[in-house]
Amino acid sequence: MNASAVVGSLLLSLVASIAGPAAAGAQVDLCAEAERFVREAAGMQALAEADTIDDWRTRSTTPGCRVTAAGAAAGPSREVARGFFRALEASEWTRTPDPRDAPNEASLRYRRLGVDCLFSYYDRMSALGTEAEFAVSDAVEIAPGQQLFHMLIQCVPAAPAAPRGVP
């Protein structure tokens, strides 16, 4: 590699290292409202991180973010999930147009302030085993009779879904 190529490579690395944290910060900002909702309205512990989302609705991989959240509640898992989604629907979040989500798997897509987020409820039986999940789970105080539950929320800038029937 010649000297100009080395200098160019170093400059590119420098620019990437400066832009990288800013880009990751902008990605995490997409999750600010979802993280706020699970903390304030649902009383959960939450952690937001930059992520790359494979958005099958738009058939694209998009820089975005995820929120890993944990909480504790009494009652059957199905009722806890329903209560969470009722609270979400009563808030400022709205269902996305043509969401193409998976309600039988407790994953529903909502939109707020130009961001689409897929909210996925799961309990200990479906644990992901990620560092973020361990961190938020450890921060939850579980009272007698309560069980741990989680939400994984993946957010991307709002975009229309790809037309149906298009490969």
Side-chain angles (χ1 to χ4, degrees), residues 16-32:
S17 68
I18 292 169
Q27 283 176 246
V28 172
D29 287 347
L30 291 170
C31 282

Side-chain angles (χ1 to χ4, degrees), residues 42 44 69-73 77 80-81 84 121-124 137 140 147-151:
M44 301 174 77
S77 201
V80 174
F84 178 87
Y121 172 91
Y122 64 101
D123 56 24
R124 292 183 356 191
S137 296
V140 174
Q147 295 182 14
L148 192 65
F149 70 95
H150 295 89
M151 290 298 296

Side-chain angles (χ1 to χ4, degrees), residues 13-127:
S13 295
L14 177 62
V15 169
S17 68
I18 292 169
Q27 283 176 246
V28 172
D29 287 347
L30 291 170
C31 282
E33 289 299 311
E35 183 180 19
R36 184 187 62 73
F37 179 83
V38 296
R39 284 183 185 276
E40 295 175 10
M44 301 174 77
Q45 299 294 322
L47 176 64
E49 304 172 282
D51 198 1
T52 302
I53 310 298
D54 183 9
D55 190 348
W56 53 271
R57 296 171 315 135
T58 59
R59 295 182 179 86
S60 64
T61 300
T62 306
C65 59
R66 70 174 162 215
V67 176
T68 306
S77 201
R78 175 182 293 208
E79 290 305 314
V80 174
R82 284 183 180 154
F84 178 87
F85 287 114
R86 282 184 193 124
L88 191 60
E89 287 184 16
S91 73
E92 297 169 333
W93 289 85
T94 59
R95 292 299 305 275
T96 58
D98 190 25
R100 299 189 203 180
D101 46 29
N104 292 333
E105 287 89 32
S107 295
L108 300 174
R109 195 173 304 275
Y110 287 82
R111 179 174 286 176
R112 185 162 195 294
L113 301 175
V115 177
D116 286 351
C117 296
L118 180 66
F119 289 80
S120 301
Y121 172 91
Y122 64 101
D123 56 24
R124 292 183 356 191
M125 303 290 281
S126 304

